[in-house]
Amino acid sequence: MKLADYFKRNDRYARIDSPEPERTFYTLTDDAPEWLTDAVREAHDDEGPNDWRFETCYRIALAIDETEEPADGLDVGDFANTTADSLTDVYTSDLLTWLAGHLGRVSDVDDASDDPKDGIVEVIRYGQYNVIERMTTILAAAYVENVQD
């Protein structure tokens, strides 16, 4: 079973009688291994469960599934850098939505850059990159520790 198979997609409806979902969100399946549940919980930092974190964990799991490296040969640091680079938003509106999604993310952005030449959008991008890199490191390290190829 692939790692991403332990995530399930759910639809959230604005109204019970609405035929169209308002949003899609991800959660773990009931049969997800305990180590994955623990890693996903840790990857949420202090934010508590939220849709952005679960979807990002799902996307990280997809990246792990797509890697050519066996679990015991995966370089977690390189993988985290590459994955964070590919998952960081590029559109300003997406970055601002991410920042507004949780007040604690302001400190992630504050820690992201000391270069006064960076514009606010670039600093937000650095902040999101750092968060995704930390999340990827957590999930990839748990994967390497718990999965035998």
Side-chain angles (χ1 to χ4, degrees), residues 78-89:
D78 286 345
F79 179 77
N81 289 332
T82 303
T83 302
D85 192 49
S86 72
L87 295 182
T88 299
D89 290 320

Side-chain angles (χ1 to χ4, degrees), residues 76-77 80 132-142:
V76 173
I132 295 171
E133 183 182 40
R134 278 194 315 267
M135 293 174 68
T136 304
T137 299
I138 291 166
L139 269 78

Side-chain angles (χ1 to χ4, degrees), residues 5-149:
D5 292 339
Y6 290 113
F7 289 82
K8 62 182 175 180
R9 181 180 163 189
N10 302 285
D11 292 326
R12 180 175 292 138
Y13 294 87
R15 298 184 337 247
I16 293 174
D17 61 344
S18 173
E20 296 296 320
E22 180 182 56
R23 289 191 61 205
T24 296
F25 64 100
Y26 293 87
T27 57
L28 287 170
T29 60
D30 293 337
D31 64 339
E34 186 175 348
W35 67 264
L36 179 58
T37 302
D38 292 344
V40 168
R41 187 175 292 124
E42 184 181 348
H44 273 73
D45 289 331
D46 293 329
E47 289 188 10
N50 69 67
D51 295 345
W52 182 83
R53 292 280 183 162
F54 267 109
E55 182 173 351
T56 302
C57 287
Y58 168 71
R59 293 170 67 191
I60 293 166
L62 285 173
I64 290 170
D65 289 342
E66 292 172 358
T67 187
E68 304 270 324
E69 294 294 324
D72 61 356
L74 185 65
D75 182 320
V76 173
D78 286 345
F79 179 77
N81 289 332
T82 303
T83 302
D85 192 49
S86 72
L87 295 182
T88 299
D89 290 320
V90 294
Y91 296 110
T92 302
S93 62
D94 294 335
L95 289 163
L96 293 173
T97 299
W98 170 78
L99 180 62
H102 193 278
L103 292 176
R105 294 178 186 161
V106 170
S107 63
D108 293 317
V109 170
D110 286 345
D111 295 340
S113 175
D114 292 330
D115 188 346
K117 295 177 189 169
D118 290 331
I120 188 167
V121 173
E122 196 60 28
V123 174
I124 295 169
R125 185 173 288 113
Y126 293 152
Q128 188 187 58
Y129 171 92
N130 290 341
V131 168
I132 295 171
E133 183 182 40
R134 278 194 315 267
M135 293 174 68
T136 304
T137 299
I138 291 166
L139 269 78
Y143 172 76
V144 167
E145 185 177 323
N146 291 282
V147 173
Q148 308 300 318
D149 284 324

